[in-house]
Amino acid sequence: QVQLVESGGGLVQPGGSLRLSCAASGRTFSTYAMGWFRQAPGKEREFVAIMWSRSSTVYADSVKGRFTISRDNAKNTVYLQMNSLKPEDTAIYYCATNPRVWELIRGLSDYWGQGTQVTVSS
């Protein structure tokens, strides 16, 4: 049974940092694209960052230069380092995976985590 479990969310002041983790189990995802999405209250879920192959990445314009996605295939885990956080980054953050990166970029995945809340507020 495939399972994705996010952790690392919390309350942080504007300008602060958080590191999210997503641990995958049930199969090996080293050849899969893995990514992060977020959903703010009253808004649709949106793409944040995706990583595929060994080091290929793509980011939403809103987080480019502030967020960094990485993965440890030995641990079947993907990370999202978030720096210079802004109030508009407040959302529930989800990880997802798909063997086809072009589908994951569109938000298509059979596997989603339960989400972790990130709140940026003073």
Side-chain angles (χ1 to χ4, degrees):
Q1 180 181 357
V2 174
Q3 193 173 17
L4 302 178
V5 179
E6 302 97 337
S7 61
L11 173 64
V12 64
Q13 292 187 342
S17 297
L18 281 175
R19 189 195 195 205
L20 306 183
S21 299
C22 172
S25 60
R27 66 154 294 148
T28 299
F29 290 94
S30 59
T31 61
Y32 277 45
M34 296 192 75
W36 290 94
F37 295 76
R38 67 186 181 186
Q39 187 167 20
K43 295 187 177 182
E44 293 187 355
R45 186 174 58 201
E46 63 177 2
F47 148 76
V48 175
I50 291 174
M51 190 169 195
W52 72 97
S53 298
R54 291 185 178 273
S55 59
S56 298
T57 59
V58 60
Y59 296 91
D61 288 343
S62 59
V63 306
K64 206 171 293 183
R66 300 188 297 121
F67 291 10
T68 302
I69 187 172
S70 61
R71 64 194 293 172
D72 184 336
N73 287 333
K75 296 182 178 179
N76 239 11
T77 299
V78 63
Y79 305 96
L80 186 68
Q81 178 66 43
M82 306 186 296
N83 299 328
S84 302
L85 282 161
K86 305 175 181 180
E88 51 264 43
D89 294 319
T90 295
I92 299 174
Y93 283 71
Y94 300 90
C95 70
T97 184
N98 192 313
R100 291 169 286 278
V101 61
W102 57 92
E103 290 185 356
L104 190 59
I105 288 175
R106 294 166 55 201
L108 300 176
S109 174
D110 291 330
Y111 309 120
W112 291 89
Q114 82 290 347
T116 185
Q117 176 71 48
V118 171
T119 303
V120 185
S121 175
S122 55

